[in-house]
Amino acid sequence: MSINKILNLFWAIRCMGCKNTSSLNRYGFCKECEQKMIYLENHSGIETFHILMYDGPVKEAIHRLKYNRKKYYGKRFALLIHDFIINNDIDDFDVIIPVPLHWKKEFLRGFNQCAIIAFYLSKLLKKRYLSGVLVKCKNTPSQTEMDKTGREKNVKGSFSVKKRYLIKSKKVLLIDDVYTSGATAKEAKKALLENGAGKVVVLTIAKA
Ligand SMILES: [Zn+2]
């Protein structure tokens, strides 16, 4: 076996959904996974967009990004969001802001997956990326076992805004990974609007 083949075993680019090394699309998914991915219908004029259904390979890839530290997945998701924005002609915003994690959670995970995605997206779209402006000030418990009302109560008042002048009258694109009840995104959006943002469009990779 040549040295290149050996190196390829370690460095081969694998599908984000199933780890297969067969040819991947520009977002890092193989053909089989691509066929399982469900693109959602979005309507113009609304202020909340979800690209895919949170299921199968998409769920797997987001999970790996978050918990297996596959930070480079963030770049591919940024490309996916970029294409969605261009195809749907919704690039009318000034700044990109990620839904933040509480500093303790970010410290434990080592990164905020939404921040990585938002950062790369800002490079692709040549828009300003704002970090540390929207802040998760309350370390809220995990919401996985909560219903909609529980989630709303859980996140209430958990976001704050720093350097308000940076978002004053600005059109904001708020990036989140998964939209479940919408409680988190709605609360984050509320904090931005209450602190002077002109408009907030929410965009998530997937909807549960
Ligand atoms: Zn795959």
Side-chain angles (χ1 to χ4, degrees):
M1 197 185 270
S2 74
I3 187 78
N4 273 340
K5 274 191 178 162
I6 294 168
L7 283 175
N8 266 338
L9 283 178
F10 295 101
W11 298 109
I13 300 168
R14 291 171 182 277
C15 169
M16 303 203 297
C18 70
K19 294 187 180 170
N20 200 322
T21 52
S22 63
S23 66
L24 308 179
N25 68 13
R26 79 194 233 111
Y27 313 126
F29 289 97
C30 72
K31 282 209 172 69
E32 290 82 66
C33 285
E34 196 179 48
Q35 279 167 2
K36 289 180 201 154
M37 287 160 64
I38 301 161
Y39 282 83
L40 297 167
E41 205 180 310
N42 283 282
H43 304 280
S44 59
I46 59 167
E47 290 185 353
T48 305
F49 298 91
H50 318 293
I51 305 176
L52 291 147
M53 189 103 99
Y54 185 56
D55 196 21
V58 178
K59 195 171 179 176
E60 194 58 41
I62 292 176
H63 203 269
R64 284 202 193 119
L65 163 66
K66 278 164 84 167
Y67 304 111
N68 296 5
R69 310 180 58 82
K70 300 282 187 195
K71 286 198 241 175
Y72 63 94
Y73 283 20
K75 228 175 188 173
R76 296 179 179 161
F77 278 128
L79 191 59
L80 179 96
I81 297 176
H82 164 269
D83 290 358
F84 176 84
I85 286 172
I86 298 302
N87 292 337
N88 289 278
D89 199 17
I90 50 168
D91 64 337
D92 177 30
F93 51 83
D94 311 301
V95 295
I96 303 179
I97 294 182
V99 168
L101 293 175
H102 186 266
W103 71 266
K104 279 185 189 164
K105 244 175 217 164
E106 187 162 343
F107 178 76
L108 289 173
R109 190 175 296 166
F111 60 93
N112 172 7
Q113 69 283 357
C114 296
I116 292 175
I117 295 166
F119 171 78
Y120 284 121
L121 182 64
S122 75
K123 298 283 166 212
L124 292 167
L125 290 168
K126 298 184 174 64
K127 301 268 186 185
R128 188 161 184 202
Y129 164 69
L130 293 181
S131 86
V133 170
L134 180 66
V135 177
K136 185 88 187 286
C137 49
K138 266 194 224 166
N139 195 11
T140 49
S142 166
Q143 309 200 109
T144 38
E145 303 296 318
M146 295 179 192
D147 63 5
K148 193 167 187 266
T149 322
R151 284 167 188 252
E152 278 166 6
K153 259 191 202 160
N154 189 40
V155 293
K156 201 169 185 352
S158 67
F159 293 97
S160 63
V161 171
K162 288 182 177 172
K163 299 183 191 163
R164 298 164 69 163
Y165 63 91
L166 288 173
I167 57 163
K168 195 172 187 306
S169 306
K170 293 273 192 284
K171 291 179 198 162
V172 177
L173 178 73
L174 181 65
I175 297 291
D176 203 356
D177 50 359
V178 184
Y179 189 98
T180 308
S181 69
T184 304
K186 275 179 205 151
E187 194 64 23
K189 178 174 177 167
K190 197 175 126 213
L192 289 167
L193 290 172
E194 282 174 358
N195 283 281
K199 184 182 174 179
V200 179
V201 170
V202 176
L203 199 161
T204 68
I205 299 169
K207 187 176 191 294

PDB file of all heavy atoms in Angstrom, residues 117-132:
ATOM      1  N   ILE A 117     -20.642  28.396  12.368  1.00  0.00           N
ATOM      2  CA  ILE A 117     -21.427  28.475  11.135  1.00  0.00           C
ATOM      3  C   ILE A 117     -21.622  29.939  10.722  1.00  0.00           C
ATOM      4  O   ILE A 117     -21.399  30.306   9.573  1.00  0.00           O
ATOM      5  CB  ILE A 117     -22.795  27.768  11.320  1.00  0.00           C
ATOM      6  CG1 ILE A 117     -22.577  26.272  11.559  1.00  0.00           C
ATOM      7  CG2 ILE A 117     -23.694  28.001  10.119  1.00  0.00           C
ATOM      8  CD1 ILE A 117     -23.803  25.534  12.092  1.00  0.00           C
ATOM      9  N   ALA A 118     -22.022  30.765  11.688  1.00  0.00           N
ATOM     10  CA  ALA A 118     -22.285  32.173  11.396  1.00  0.00           C
ATOM     11  C   ALA A 118     -21.017  32.888  10.916  1.00  0.00           C
ATOM     12  O   ALA A 118     -21.068  33.722  10.005  1.00  0.00           O
ATOM     13  CB  ALA A 118     -22.846  32.873  12.638  1.00  0.00           C
ATOM     14  N   PHE A 119     -19.890  32.539  11.507  1.00  0.00           N
ATOM     15  CA  PHE A 119     -18.625  33.161  11.117  1.00  0.00           C
ATOM     16  C   PHE A 119     -18.296  32.853   9.651  1.00  0.00           C
ATOM     17  O   PHE A 119     -18.007  33.754   8.856  1.00  0.00           O
ATOM     18  CB  PHE A 119     -17.493  32.680  12.034  1.00  0.00           C
ATOM     19  CG  PHE A 119     -16.131  33.111  11.576  1.00  0.00           C
ATOM     20  CD1 PHE A 119     -15.700  34.409  11.811  1.00  0.00           C
ATOM     21  CD2 PHE A 119     -15.293  32.237  10.895  1.00  0.00           C
ATOM     22  CE1 PHE A 119     -14.443  34.832  11.372  1.00  0.00           C
ATOM     23  CE2 PHE A 119     -14.035  32.650  10.458  1.00  0.00           C
ATOM     24  CZ  PHE A 119     -13.607  33.944  10.696  1.00  0.00           C
ATOM     25  N   TYR A 120     -18.347  31.576   9.275  1.00  0.00           N
ATOM     26  CA  TYR A 120     -18.039  31.204   7.892  1.00  0.00           C
ATOM     27  C   TYR A 120     -19.069  31.777   6.917  1.00  0.00           C
ATOM     28  O   TYR A 120     -18.725  32.183   5.813  1.00  0.00           O
ATOM     29  CB  TYR A 120     -17.943  29.680   7.743  1.00  0.00           C
ATOM     30  CG  TYR A 120     -16.661  29.131   8.299  1.00  0.00           C
ATOM     31  CD1 TYR A 120     -16.660  28.193   9.321  1.00  0.00           C
ATOM     32  CD2 TYR A 120     -15.425  29.561   7.815  1.00  0.00           C
ATOM     33  CE1 TYR A 120     -15.478  27.694   9.843  1.00  0.00           C
ATOM     34  CE2 TYR A 120     -14.242  29.071   8.335  1.00  0.00           C
ATOM     35  CZ  TYR A 120     -14.267  28.144   9.337  1.00  0.00           C
ATOM     36  OH  TYR A 120     -13.096  27.653   9.847  1.00  0.00           O
ATOM     37  N   LEU A 121     -20.323  31.799   7.348  1.00  0.00           N
ATOM     38  CA  LEU A 121     -21.374  32.363   6.507  1.00  0.00           C
ATOM     39  C   LEU A 121     -21.091  33.837   6.219  1.00  0.00           C
ATOM     40  O   LEU A 121     -21.268  34.308   5.096  1.00  0.00           O
ATOM     41  CB  LEU A 121     -22.732  32.193   7.197  1.00  0.00           C
ATOM     42  CG  LEU A 121     -23.942  32.688   6.419  1.00  0.00           C
ATOM     43  CD1 LEU A 121     -24.131  31.878   5.141  1.00  0.00           C
ATOM     44  CD2 LEU A 121     -25.204  32.615   7.278  1.00  0.00           C
ATOM     45  N   SER A 122     -20.632  34.552   7.235  1.00  0.00           N
ATOM     46  CA  SER A 122     -20.342  35.985   7.058  1.00  0.00           C
ATOM     47  C   SER A 122     -19.221  36.182   6.034  1.00  0.00           C
ATOM     48  O   SER A 122     -19.234  37.146   5.275  1.00  0.00           O
ATOM     49  CB  SER A 122     -19.980  36.626   8.398  1.00  0.00           C
ATOM     50  OG  SER A 122     -18.676  36.257   8.795  1.00  0.00           O
ATOM     51  N   LYS A 123     -18.268  35.258   6.009  1.00  0.00           N
ATOM     52  CA  LYS A 123     -17.178  35.344   5.025  1.00  0.00           C
ATOM     53  C   LYS A 123     -17.732  35.112   3.618  1.00  0.00           C
ATOM     54  O   LYS A 123     -17.381  35.810   2.685  1.00  0.00           O
ATOM     55  CB  LYS A 123     -16.096  34.284   5.308  1.00  0.00           C
ATOM     56  CG  LYS A 123     -15.421  34.426   6.640  1.00  0.00           C
ATOM     57  CD  LYS A 123     -14.398  35.550   6.622  1.00  0.00           C
ATOM     58  CE  LYS A 123     -13.964  35.916   8.022  1.00  0.00           C
ATOM     59  NZ  LYS A 123     -13.630  37.335   8.161  1.00  0.00           N
ATOM     60  N   LEU A 124     -18.608  34.102   3.505  1.00  0.00           N
ATOM     61  CA  LEU A 124     -19.168  33.767   2.188  1.00  0.00           C
ATOM     62  C   LEU A 124     -20.050  34.891   1.652  1.00  0.00           C
ATOM     63  O   LEU A 124     -20.050  35.169   0.464  1.00  0.00           O
ATOM     64  CB  LEU A 124     -19.993  32.470   2.276  1.00  0.00           C
ATOM     65  CG  LEU A 124     -19.221  31.174   2.536  1.00  0.00           C
ATOM     66  CD1 LEU A 124     -20.180  30.050   2.901  1.00  0.00           C
ATOM     67  CD2 LEU A 124     -18.397  30.784   1.309  1.00  0.00           C
ATOM     68  N   LEU A 125     -20.793  35.523   2.552  1.00  0.00           N
ATOM     69  CA  LEU A 125     -21.742  36.554   2.123  1.00  0.00           C
ATOM     70  C   LEU A 125     -21.167  37.971   2.198  1.00  0.00           C
ATOM     71  O   LEU A 125     -21.825  38.918   1.798  1.00  0.00           O
ATOM     72  CB  LEU A 125     -23.016  36.483   2.976  1.00  0.00           C
ATOM     73  CG  LEU A 125     -23.920  35.276   2.766  1.00  0.00           C
ATOM     74  CD1 LEU A 125     -24.961  35.202   3.866  1.00  0.00           C
ATOM     75  CD2 LEU A 125     -24.611  35.336   1.405  1.00  0.00           C
ATOM     76  N   LYS A 126     -19.958  38.071   2.743  1.00  0.00           N
ATOM     77  CA  LYS A 126     -19.316  39.374   2.954  1.00  0.00           C
ATOM     78  C   LYS A 126     -20.204  40.309   3.772  1.00  0.00           C
ATOM     79  O   LYS A 126     -20.435  41.457   3.419  1.00  0.00           O
ATOM     80  CB  LYS A 126     -18.914  40.001   1.617  1.00  0.00           C
ATOM     81  CG  LYS A 126     -17.901  39.157   0.877  1.00  0.00           C
ATOM     82  CD  LYS A 126     -17.416  39.819  -0.405  1.00  0.00           C
ATOM     83  CE  LYS A 126     -16.294  39.018  -1.035  1.00  0.00           C
ATOM     84  NZ  LYS A 126     -16.736  37.665  -1.480  1.00  0.00           N
ATOM     85  N   LYS A 127     -20.728  39.760   4.860  1.00  0.00           N
ATOM     86  CA  LYS A 127     -21.543  40.542   5.791  1.00  0.00           C
ATOM     87  C   LYS A 127     -20.809  40.570   7.120  1.00  0.00           C
ATOM     88  O   LYS A 127     -19.964  39.726   7.395  1.00  0.00           O
ATOM     89  CB  LYS A 127     -22.906  39.882   5.992  1.00  0.00           C
ATOM     90  CG  LYS A 127     -23.727  39.717   4.735  1.00  0.00           C
ATOM     91  CD  LYS A 127     -24.631  40.880   4.495  1.00  0.00           C
ATOM     92  CE  LYS A 127     -25.545  40.593   3.292  1.00  0.00           C
ATOM     93  NZ  LYS A 127     -26.360  41.725   2.931  1.00  0.00           N
ATOM     94  N   ARG A 128     -21.188  41.508   7.970  1.00  0.00           N
ATOM     95  CA  ARG A 128     -20.515  41.629   9.250  1.00  0.00           C
ATOM     96  C   ARG A 128     -21.011  40.561  10.231  1.00  0.00           C
ATOM     97  O   ARG A 128     -22.213  40.348  10.377  1.00  0.00           O
ATOM     98  CB  ARG A 128     -20.754  43.027   9.829  1.00  0.00           C
ATOM     99  CG  ARG A 128     -19.911  43.251  11.058  1.00  0.00           C
ATOM    100  CD  ARG A 128     -19.770  44.707  11.380  1.00  0.00           C
ATOM    101  NE  ARG A 128     -18.857  44.842  12.518  1.00  0.00           N
ATOM    102  CZ  ARG A 128     -18.814  45.882  13.308  1.00  0.00           C
ATOM    103  NH1 ARG A 128     -19.588  46.922  13.086  1.00  0.00           N
ATOM    104  NH2 ARG A 128     -17.968  45.922  14.320  1.00  0.00           N
ATOM    105  N   TYR A 129     -20.063  39.913  10.873  1.00  0.00           N
ATOM    106  CA  TYR A 129     -20.370  38.904  11.884  1.00  0.00           C
ATOM    107  C   TYR A 129     -20.190  39.546  13.254  1.00  0.00           C
ATOM    108  O   TYR A 129     -19.150  40.133  13.536  1.00  0.00           O
ATOM    109  CB  TYR A 129     -19.404  37.721  11.708  1.00  0.00           C
ATOM    110  CG  TYR A 129     -19.322  36.780  12.879  1.00  0.00           C
ATOM    111  CD1 TYR A 129     -20.396  35.962  13.199  1.00  0.00           C
ATOM    112  CD2 TYR A 129     -18.172  36.692  13.661  1.00  0.00           C
ATOM    113  CE1 TYR A 129     -20.326  35.080  14.274  1.00  0.00           C
ATOM    114  CE2 TYR A 129     -18.089  35.813  14.738  1.00  0.00           C
ATOM    115  CZ  TYR A 129     -19.177  35.022  15.034  1.00  0.00           C
ATOM    116  OH  TYR A 129     -19.102  34.153  16.094  1.00  0.00           O
ATOM    117  N   LEU A 130     -21.219  39.459  14.092  1.00  0.00           N
ATOM    118  CA  LEU A 130     -21.127  40.052  15.426  1.00  0.00           C
ATOM    119  C   LEU A 130     -21.116  38.965  16.486  1.00  0.00           C
ATOM    120  O   LEU A 130     -22.092  38.227  16.648  1.00  0.00           O
ATOM    121  CB  LEU A 130     -22.313  40.991  15.676  1.00  0.00           C
ATOM    122  CG  LEU A 130     -22.403  42.271  14.835  1.00  0.00           C
ATOM    123  CD1 LEU A 130     -23.626  43.073  15.250  1.00  0.00           C
ATOM    124  CD2 LEU A 130     -21.144  43.127  14.968  1.00  0.00           C
ATOM    125  N   SER A 131     -20.009  38.875  17.196  1.00  0.00           N
ATOM    126  CA  SER A 131     -19.958  37.916  18.301  1.00  0.00           C
ATOM    127  C   SER A 131     -19.901  38.689  19.611  1.00  0.00           C
ATOM    128  O   SER A 131     -19.399  39.813  19.653  1.00  0.00           O
ATOM    129  CB  SER A 131     -18.758  36.983  18.149  1.00  0.00           C
ATOM    130  OG  SER A 131     -17.618  37.550  18.713  1.00  0.00           O
ATOM    131  N   GLY A 132     -20.465  38.115  20.634  1.00  0.00           N
ATOM    132  CA  GLY A 132     -20.441  38.756  21.950  1.00  0.00           C
ATOM    133  C   GLY A 132     -21.427  39.906  22.090  1.00  0.00           C
ATOM    134  O   GLY A 132     -21.374  40.641  23.069  1.00  0.00           O
TER     135      GLY A 132
END
